[in-house]
């Protein structure tokens, strides 16, 4: 528990820093914000109204204070284009991105671990070499390219999957069909990466003495690799998943654009295009919050996987 | 029924010519008896142990040898004993700190063994059997131990857990590879007592691999002396201790420090006997007696003629391979 509190403190500090940086970033854009957002043909009256609404005429520290206190209450202000609360706009598309990134993460884990296990157990064979080649190819192809190839092949040429959108709300199958290609495009690189990582960690673990103990007592080889060695090999894997989720949400920007899916990524992209900075600010902050929460979860999962980490954490040592 | 190993030879492949680590080693262990296989580092004693288990490194090759166990004969060159692991063969390892998986509980280790040896029992029954085994090796509070992780136990306790694993496997042959080397001297006696208790309860044959003659003379019934991959002498432990047949055995016994030996005040004056020279290069073919170069009784003939086993007692249980036996 004490450990959780310490981690939560660190997370809160990180969030505070991030908010400060976001605030400064938006205000460091050359020119004044109202003119940038409204463009050159705005009337002076409209400009004055926006300045007053966003509090841009006030002292910078007052602005910061207002920004921070509002954000803590979940209030990101009102969107000047649609006149809706910004938090609603973000909340509306967030589930789409979470489902996309979550599915991609799931696919990466299932196939990455499976391929890693196969490669480790068939070390040195043609299967191992083939998997190695595939993994490197997956890792080195940007998800942007994969997205376009998948789209052209499976949607345009073969018509197996729909081209764009998220599917009808309420129709699970339709939504699933819309999810397959973007999730695969996002997952492919991580499948390759995880397969390599699991293979290396397994091969190292399989030479350890406790594995030899199990062999000496006739424990079947598939149980040794799939249960006893894998659990140790998962610790370094889980550690990178926190970063992985951040990367997946980042790559989701491209996938959402190419497959025309509403989501955080496309929201940020479109908002930047029309210089709607308050929305960018809110969306980026939400992504960073998810990222921080994911890394907190990673620590908790690892302490469940390896009791020695849990003990080190309890005793306040660096795990 | 005795466990017998016949004509075991193991090569290691590496750069250059093969290393002949074990050459033509044979021994027999009757049920309920413990054979101490002694030798210095590099003599090939652990290679013998892992060859019998079929757990040698990938660069090792068994070139000859078979093992009789449970009334059947197994060809070691074909790794025929691998299916016997956990079902007739069990092993206790050198470093108890490394021989248990750090992310699984003690109970998980023991019940995994029971999946192999008692596949028909349900999970609850297996847990009860595991607890019983821990109690038998005198681990305190066995029920709580089941849910503890290896890092929560001391080295001696962890070795007891491995002995409990062996107990559950009910082996015909138990191999203990330097089971006390990594432990405190104070823990050594209690761990050895548990191994002896296991031998007596299961009436199994035990092969104890060690470099400690003290351990062999104290706990073993029989003794075998391995040098540079060859068996130089074997027989009842007591007989070898009193009347070593081979000069190497005698020199080894001389190296042991007697506990009642008077101590000299300046520490440097406490001289220990050592055997001069080094192990021969096992990549090159050996001619004559393998120990000839370091032997204090060697004559010119020793470097040329391969000595055969000489019987040293009426029953034929004690024998040594030396040309100089009976020559004063």
């Amino acid at each position: 528990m004490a450990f959780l509190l310490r981690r939560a403190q660190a997370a809160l500090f990180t969030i505070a820093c991030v908010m400060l940086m976001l605030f400064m970033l938006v205000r460091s854009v050359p020119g004044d914000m109202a003119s940038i957002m409204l463009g050159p043909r705005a009337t002076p009256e409209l400009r004055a109204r926006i300045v007053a609404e966003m509090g841009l005429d006030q002292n910078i520290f007052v602005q910061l204070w207002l920004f921070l206190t509002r954000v803590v209450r979940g209030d990101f202000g009102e969107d000047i284009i649609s006149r809706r609360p910004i938090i609603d706009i973000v909340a509306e598309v967030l589930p789409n991105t979470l489902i996309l990134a979550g599915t991609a993460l799931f696919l990466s884990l299932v196939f990455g671990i499976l391929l890693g296990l196969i490669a480790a157990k068939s070390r040195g064979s043609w299967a191992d070499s083939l998997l190695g080649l595939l993994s490197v190819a997956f890792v080195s192809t940007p998800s942007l390219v994969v997205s376009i190839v998948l789209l052209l092949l499976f949607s345009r040429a073969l018509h197996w999957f729909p081209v764009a959108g998220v599917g009808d709300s309420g129709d699970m199958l339709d939504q699933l069909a819309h999810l397959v290609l973007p999730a695969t495009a996002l997952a492919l690189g991580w499948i390759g990466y995880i397969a390599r990582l699991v293979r290396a960690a397994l091969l190292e673990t399989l030479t350890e003495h406790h594995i030899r103990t199990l062999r000496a007592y006739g424990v079947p080889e598939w149980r040794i690799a799939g249960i006893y060695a894998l659990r140790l090999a998962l610790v370094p894997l889980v550690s990178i998943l926190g970063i992985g989720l951040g990367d997946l949400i980042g790559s989701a920007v491209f996938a959402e654009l190419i497959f025309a899916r509403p989501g955080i990524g496309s929201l940020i992209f479109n908002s930047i295009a029309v210089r709607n900075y308050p929305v960018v600010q809110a969306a980026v902050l939400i992504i960073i919050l998810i990222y921080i929460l994911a890394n907190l979860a990673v620590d908790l999962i690892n302490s469940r996987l390896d009791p020695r980490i849990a003990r080190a954490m309890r005793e306040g040592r660096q795990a | 029924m005795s466990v017998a190993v016949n004509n075991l030879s193991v090569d290691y492949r590496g750069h250059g010519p093969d290393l002949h680590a074990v050459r033509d080693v044979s021994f027999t262990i009757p049920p309920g008896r413990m054979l101490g296989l002694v030798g210095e580092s590099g003599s090939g004693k652990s290679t013998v142990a892992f060859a019998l288990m079929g757990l040698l490194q990938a660069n090792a090759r068994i070139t000859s040898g078979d093992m009789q166990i449970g009334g059947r004969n197994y060809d070691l060159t074909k790794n025929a004993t691998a299916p016997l692991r956990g079902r007739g063969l069990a092993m206790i390892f050198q470093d108890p700190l490394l021989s248990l998986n750090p992310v699984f509980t003690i109970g998980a280790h023991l019940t995994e063994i029971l999946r192999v040896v008692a596949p028909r029992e349900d999970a609850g029954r297996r847990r009860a059997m595991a607890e019983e085994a821990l109690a038998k090796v005198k681990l305190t509070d066995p029920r709580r131990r089941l849910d503890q992780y290896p890092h929560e136990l001391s080295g001696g306790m962890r070795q007891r857990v491995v002995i409990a694993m062996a107990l559950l496997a009910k082996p015909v042959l138990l191999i203990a590879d330097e089971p006390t080397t990594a432990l405190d001297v104070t823990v050594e006696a209690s761990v050895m007592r548990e191994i002896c208790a296991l031998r007596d309860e299961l009436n199994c044959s035990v092969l104890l691999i060690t470099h400690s003659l003290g351990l062999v003379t104290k706990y073993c019934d029989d003794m075998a002396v391995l040098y540079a991959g060859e068996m130089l002498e074997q027989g009842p432990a007591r007989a070898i201790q009193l009347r070593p047949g081979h000069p190497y055995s005698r020199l080894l016994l001389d190296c042991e420090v007697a506990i009642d030996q008077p101590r000299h005040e300046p520490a440097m004056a406490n001289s220990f006997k050592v055997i001069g020279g080094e192990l021969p290069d096992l990549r090159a073919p050996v001619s004559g007696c393998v120990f000839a170069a370091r032997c204090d009784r060697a004559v010119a003939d020793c470097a040329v003629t391969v000595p055969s086993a000489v019987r040293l007692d009426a029953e034929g249980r004690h024998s040594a391979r030396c040309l100089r036996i009976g020559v004063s």
Side-chain angles (χ1 to χ4, degrees), chain A residues 227-229 231-232 305 307, chain B residues 101-109 148-150:
Chain A
I227 297 175
Y228 290 91
R231 178 136 165 205
L232 269 171
L305 279 176
Chain B
N101 191 317
V103 299
F104 284 88
T105 59
I106 303 304
H109 283 86
Q148 284 187 315
Y149 288 92

Side-chain angles (χ1 to χ4, degrees), chain A residues 209-220 223 227-229 231-232 305-308 311, chain B residues 50 53 85-86 90-91 93 98-104 108 112-113 115-116 149 151 165-166:
Chain A
H209 286 225
H210 51 83
I211 296 297
R212 191 184 62 189
T213 306
L214 293 175
R215 287 202 178 114
Y217 285 89
V219 177
R223 279 186 71 86
I227 297 175
Y228 290 91
R231 178 136 165 205
L232 269 171
L305 279 176
D306 190 338
R308 292 169 303 177
R311 190 172 73 162
Chain B
F50 284 103
M53 295 293 291
R85 299 199 290 248
M91 190 159 178
F93 298 93
L98 299 175
S99 52
L100 296 173
N101 191 317
V103 299
F104 284 88
E112 185 65 49
I113 306 304
R115 282 183 70 99
V116 179
Y149 288 92
H151 70 262
M165 287 165 74

Side-chain angles (χ1 to χ4, degrees), chain A residues 52-72:
Chain A
E53 235 173 63
M54 292 180 64
L56 292 174
D57 49 351
Q58 299 184 51
N59 180 301
I60 185 95
F61 293 104
V62 177
Q63 286 186 39
L64 177 63
W65 176 249
L66 280 175
F67 172 71
L68 291 180
T69 48
R70 278 181 186 159
V71 165
V72 167

